[in-house]
């Protein structure tokens, strides 16, 4: 299972990952066209600064996901094979229980679409868009547990 | 082969059954429900009533769930009595079923006030899919409805009725909406948003009588005022379903008293969900937190323990998340400091124009509760501060800020961080 890791020493807080994320999840997939879409695509990742360092924050696809427990619409499920928390947009009612319980603050509400903003690891793409977009190589996309620090 | 009996087929019952099955593939699992429906998302019935959610989306688990997990489901079977000495239950139809271990997940029922006329046809709770369907059936001939109570269920009912083009008046005894989860400032934002969308409120008034001969005609208030209505929905909270245990040696206060394993005072009986009293992390004692996420978590812990595990239940706390007409609000733990209570500190931000309200309640530099309106994105991080009892003095000035987040508390949380290298 591949996971996103972050080399915090390299992160400049430029937010290229945020923009790439928003574009990747827009309808057109193009930065300039995305701005003209009826509902503006928002990033599922946020770079937060703390004590002079920058931390990209997004869904970690926890193995014991509290958001799945909290989902009163059964829209969130943990897919063991994929190692991912999946979200069924069609079932979601926008109650924000998942936002309320995420211990990482990694799920944010999109009030316009009434859907939670949550990293889906760019589903079918080879790698998440944020990885490619990072100019310093601070975002690492690799197999879990194999990371040697 | 063990036989496990679960009374209740909602959040706690289902998650317990899943946990039992995960740990014991052979055991017999029997679920008894007094409803006529496979497990469904109870909190969605107001959305169903509103027309926002179709019936096929309301099932909590896929149709083949019970077969796939080898669970025997008995619908429309109300449990009349539990006999702990003989380890068996008796159904209302006199059938007796024995168990090795029992989970009581009977849930709760709407509290009905003792108002004159409360038993009339046309007065509903909004707790079951059956309630929602019955109310829905009356809406084509309903012009004006009345909701009694300004709690979450009351407001969700009001929203649903309004969405179905029925005029709604909400009568609330207290001076604010959502008095069980918001302070008056936060409640003001929510009330305003609902009023802007056509829902009327009558605050600080109680209903004296529901008037009508056969069908409901009107509501009479304590002040003597009256107005026409043909449908009444009662949202005055819920009370745990204790009927089958009342005459037994199982101990209960408001709900069944449980220990850290969610076990009742009898070794082979467990309780979970809206009928169970468990440790409350902010109050420091036992209480019922009748919430979907709490029921799911308790069900999982109880289920694992029933199947021979030894999982400790850390405890729950009162919390809720709502959204009406684009305005989200979250309440966590202690949301209001009672007059005269010393030792609390409130951090607060109130911006009427931006529809923004944030309040964090601290005690000795530990967060014990919060209310967020408008901007709720950090509620999970605040919840973690409360649950894990993280001392906040090193980042207190940042708590209310836009850029506060998980990185600020990372070094202080229980689980070791492994994604940032």
């Amino acid at each position: 299972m591949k996971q996103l890791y972050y080399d915090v020493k390299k992160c400049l807080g430029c937010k290229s990952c945020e923009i790439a994320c928003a574009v990747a999840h827009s309808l057109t997939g193009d930065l300039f066209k995305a701005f003209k879409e009826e509902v503006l695509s928002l990033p599922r990742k946020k770079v937060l600064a703390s004590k002079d360092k920058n931390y990209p924050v997004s869904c970690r696809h926890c193995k014991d996901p509290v958001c799945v427990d909290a989902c009163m619409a059964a829209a969130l499920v943990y897919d063991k094979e994929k190692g991912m928390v999946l979200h069924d947009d069609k079932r979601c009612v926008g109650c924000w229980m998942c936002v309320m319980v995420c211990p990482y603050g990694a799920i944010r509400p999109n009030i316009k679409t009434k859907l939670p903003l949550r990293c889906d690891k760019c589903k079918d793409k080879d790698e998440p868009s944020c990885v490619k977009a990072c100019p310093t190589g601070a975002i690492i996309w690799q197999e879990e547990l194999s990371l040697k620090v | 082969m063990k036989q496990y009996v679960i009374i209740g087929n909602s959040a706690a019952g289902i998650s317990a059954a899943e946990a039992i099955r995960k740990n014991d593939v052979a055991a017999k699992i029997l679920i008894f429900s007094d409803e006529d429906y496979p497990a469904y998302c109870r909190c969605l019935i107001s959305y169903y009533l509103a027309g926002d959610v179709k019936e096929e989306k309301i099932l909590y688990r896929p149709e083949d769930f019970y077969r796939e997990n080898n669970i025997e489901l008995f619908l429309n079977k109300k449990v009349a009595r539990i006999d702990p000495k003989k380890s068996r239950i008796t159904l209302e139809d006199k059938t007796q079923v024995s168990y090795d271990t029992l989970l009581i997940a009977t849930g709760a029922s709407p509290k009905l006030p003792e108002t004159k006329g409360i038993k009339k046809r046309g007065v509903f709770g909004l707790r079951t899919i059956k309630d929602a369907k019955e109310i829905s059936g009356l809406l084509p001939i309903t012009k004006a409805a009345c909701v009694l109570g300004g709690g979450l269920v009351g407001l969700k009912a009001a929203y649903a009725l309004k969405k179905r083009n029925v005029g709604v008046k909400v009568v609330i005894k207290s001076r604010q909406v959502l008095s069980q989860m918001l302070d008056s400032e936060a409640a003001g934002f929510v009330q305003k948003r609902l009023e802007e969308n056509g829902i009327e409120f009558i605050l600080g008034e109680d209903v004296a009588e529901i008037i009508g001969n056969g069908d409901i005609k009107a509501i009479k208030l304590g002040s003597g005022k009256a107005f026409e209505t043909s449908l009444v929905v009662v949202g005055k909270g819920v009370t745990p379903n204790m009927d089958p245990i009342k005459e037994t040696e199982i101990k209960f206060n408001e709900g069944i008293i449980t220990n850290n394993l969610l076990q009742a005072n009898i070794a082979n009986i467990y309780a979970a969900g809206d009928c169970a009293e468990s440790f409350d992390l902010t109050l420091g004692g036992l209480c019922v937190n009748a919430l979907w996420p709490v029921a799911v978590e308790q069900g999982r812990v109880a289920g694992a323990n029933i199947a021979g595990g030894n999982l400790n239940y850390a405890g729950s706390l009162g919390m809720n998340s709502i959204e009406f007409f684009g305005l989200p609000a979250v309440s966590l733990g202690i949301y209001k400091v009672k007059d005269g209570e010393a030792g609390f500190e409130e951090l607060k931000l109130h911006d009427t124009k931006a529809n923004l309200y944030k309040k964090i309640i601290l005690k000795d530099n530990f967060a014990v509760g919060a209310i967020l309106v408008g901007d709720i994105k950090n509620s999970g991080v605040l919840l973690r501060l409360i649950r894990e009892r993280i001392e906040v003095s090193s980042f207190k000035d940042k708590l209310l800020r836009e850029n506060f987040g998980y990185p600020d508390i990372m070094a202080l949380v229980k689980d070791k961080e492994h994604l940032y290298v």
Side-chain angles (χ1 to χ4, degrees):
Chain A
M1 234 81 78
K2 282 193 165 182
Q3 176 69 280
L4 287 162
Y5 295 88
Y6 307 93
D7 186 344
V8 183
K9 294 184 295 299
K10 289 185 183 166
C11 180
L12 304 172
C14 71
K15 307 197 178 195
S16 298
C17 54
E18 287 187 18
I19 294 168
C21 180
V23 172
H25 292 93
S26 67
L27 295 172
T28 53
D30 175 273
L31 176 60
F32 295 102
K33 285 180 190 148
F35 274 110
K36 288 183 185 157
E37 287 172 19
E38 204 180 314
V39 181
L40 189 67
S41 176
L42 297 174
R44 287 131 191 255
K45 179 175 235 107
K46 274 280 173 187
V47 183
L48 294 177
S50 181
K51 292 191 186 129
D52 305 327
K53 283 204 180 84
N54 300 298
Y55 300 86
V57 176
S58 60
C59 174
R60 299 164 169 239
H61 298 274
C62 304
K63 286 191 182 63
D64 298 307
V66 284
C67 56
V68 172
D69 271 6
C71 182
M72 63 185 210
L76 284 166
V77 289
Y78 185 74
D79 186 318
K80 254 194 201 158
E81 275 160 39
K82 289 184 181 153
M84 274 176 72
V85 175
L86 304 179
H87 184 261
D88 183 348
D89 288 1
K90 290 199 190 81
R91 287 192 74 102
C92 179
V93 295
C95 70
W96 312 131
M97 286 281 191
C98 54
V99 174
M100 176 174 77
V101 300
C102 176
Y104 300 96
I107 310 178
R108 292 175 310 121
N110 186 341
I111 303 294
K112 286 237 167 72
T113 61
K114 282 186 176 281
L115 294 170
L117 292 160
R118 236 190 86 252
C119 170
D120 58 359
K121 297 188 183 178
C122 283
K123 280 185 219 155
D124 310 321
K125 292 185 186 123
D126 304 340
E127 60 177 9
S129 307
C130 55
V131 180
K132 260 182 239 151
C134 180
T136 64
I139 306 181
I140 307 156
W141 173 239
Q142 69 161 59
E143 287 299 324
E144 249 174 305
L145 303 172
S146 58
L147 194 81
K148 295 274 181 294
V149 186
Chain B
M1 190 173 64
K2 296 265 177 145
Q3 173 148 309
Y4 301 124
V5 167
I6 298 172
I7 313 175
N9 184 41
S10 195
I14 293 297
S15 85
E18 287 175 333
I20 293 173
R21 190 48 85 220
K22 203 172 152 192
N23 292 288
D24 185 343
V25 285
K28 263 189 108 169
I29 303 174
L30 283 66
I31 298 183
F32 292 89
S33 169
D34 61 356
E35 289 187 65
D36 189 18
Y37 216 86
Y40 58 94
C41 303
R42 191 173 300 285
C43 313
L44 296 200
I45 57 169
S46 67
Y47 297 84
Y48 166 75
L49 181 61
D52 293 345
V53 169
K54 295 264 175 335
E55 188 169 353
E56 62 264 27
K57 291 274 192 299
I58 213 157
L59 284 187
Y60 184 49
R61 289 291 179 260
E63 271 180 57
D64 57 359
F65 169 79
Y66 299 94
R67 195 165 30 85
E68 285 275 300
N69 289 283
N70 192 17
I71 295 165
E72 286 180 62
L73 172 66
F74 298 89
L75 292 176
N76 254 328
K77 295 284 178 196
K78 199 171 162 84
V79 175
R81 219 171 42 251
I82 297 167
D83 190 345
K85 284 203 184 98
K86 293 181 177 144
S87 286
R88 74 177 180 209
I89 59 167
T90 306
L91 308 181
E92 269 191 343
D93 64 11
K94 306 279 192 278
T95 315
Q96 293 187 329
V97 182
S98 56
Y99 58 78
D100 289 297
T101 310
L102 174 71
L103 175 70
I104 306 172
T106 46
S109 298
K111 276 185 202 161
L112 291 183
E114 286 177 8
T115 310
K116 203 176 160 198
I118 198 82
K119 296 268 163 69
K120 281 191 200 299
R121 208 169 61 217
V123 180
F124 295 93
L126 183 52
R127 176 75 183 175
T128 62
I129 182 93
K130 186 168 164 267
D131 293 333
K133 284 185 172 182
E134 284 180 15
I135 296 170
S136 191
L138 289 173
L139 294 189
I141 51 161
T142 305
K143 271 197 203 116
C146 177
V147 172
L148 309 189
L152 194 52
V153 169
L155 296 191
K156 283 171 87 173
Y159 162 81
L161 293 165
K162 187 70 212 167
K163 196 89 198 288
R164 296 281 298 273
N165 293 317
V166 172
V168 196
K169 284 192 175 71
V170 184
V171 181
I172 305 174
K173 204 173 177 179
S174 82
R175 297 255 161 220
Q176 67 162 84
V177 300
L178 298 169
S179 60
Q180 303 297 310
M181 73 172 265
L182 299 178
D183 60 15
S184 57
E185 271 180 87
F189 284 95
V190 176
Q191 186 188 332
K192 183 166 162 272
R193 184 60 61 101
L194 288 163
E195 282 171 341
E196 284 164 358
N197 286 280
I199 293 167
E200 280 180 61
F201 289 94
I202 299 164
L203 298 177
E205 280 252 35
D206 210 0
V207 172
E209 190 183 349
I210 298 166
I211 301 166
N213 199 354
D215 293 335
I216 296 170
K217 291 269 185 291
I219 284 274
K220 195 171 144 194
L221 301 175
S223 60
K225 265 190 282 179
F227 53 84
E228 271 185 63
T229 187
S230 62
L231 179 81
V232 174
V233 180
V234 182
K236 287 193 167 283
V238 294
T239 182
N241 294 326
M242 292 290 104
D243 281 351
I245 74 150
K246 268 183 187 154
E247 310 287 314
T248 71
E249 43 279 78
I250 301 165
K251 279 196 182 149
F252 69 99
N253 291 320
E254 194 202 348
I256 296 161
I257 296 170
T258 63
N259 63 15
N260 64 322
L261 302 172
L262 294 173
Q263 196 174 29
N265 62 317
I266 289 156
N268 67 339
I269 298 181
Y270 290 74
D274 294 3
C275 70
E277 274 188 27
S278 62
F279 187 75
D280 184 292
L281 293 164
T282 47
L283 303 177
L286 289 178
C287 89
V288 177
N289 278 317
L291 302 158
W292 186 269
V294 170
V296 174
E297 192 189 3
Q298 290 186 347
R300 205 187 42 245
V301 171
N305 290 339
I306 286 169
N310 191 31
L311 270 188
N312 182 57
Y313 181 65
S316 62
L317 58 101
M319 55 182 178
N320 236 319
S321 161
I322 53 153
E323 197 210 274
F324 290 110
F325 302 106
L327 183 71
V330 163
S331 161
L332 306 169
I334 296 169
Y335 59 93
K336 207 154 52 177
V337 178
K338 289 190 193 106
D339 288 338
E341 262 189 300
F344 290 95
E345 182 186 355
E346 286 188 359
L347 308 175
K348 210 192 267 191
L349 190 157
H350 185 135
D351 186 339
T352 310
K353 263 192 198 150
N355 280 311
L356 194 67
Y357 179 69
K358 291 186 189 183
K359 180 175 90 172
I360 298 170
I361 300 179
L362 305 173
K363 190 166 193 198
D364 307 322
N365 280 325
F366 287 97
V368 292
I371 296 175
L372 301 169
V373 179
D375 174 12
I376 62 163
K377 64 176 179 291
N378 265 324
S379 45
V381 177
L382 294 174
L383 179 62
R384 195 165 187 180
L385 292 180
I386 300 169
R387 288 195 85 123
E388 296 187 18
R389 282 196 59 76
I390 295 167
E391 220 261 349
V392 305
S393 54
S394 63
F395 51 88
K396 197 156 128 184
D397 55 333
K398 209 182 164 184
L399 276 170
L400 288 176
R401 277 195 226 153
E402 169 71 23
N403 63 349
F404 171 70
Y406 167 68
D408 296 307
I409 69 166
M410 199 166 67
L412 303 164
V413 298
K414 272 189 195 137
D415 293 336
K416 203 173 168 290
E417 176 51 47
H418 64 284
L419 293 193
Y420 299 117
V421 294

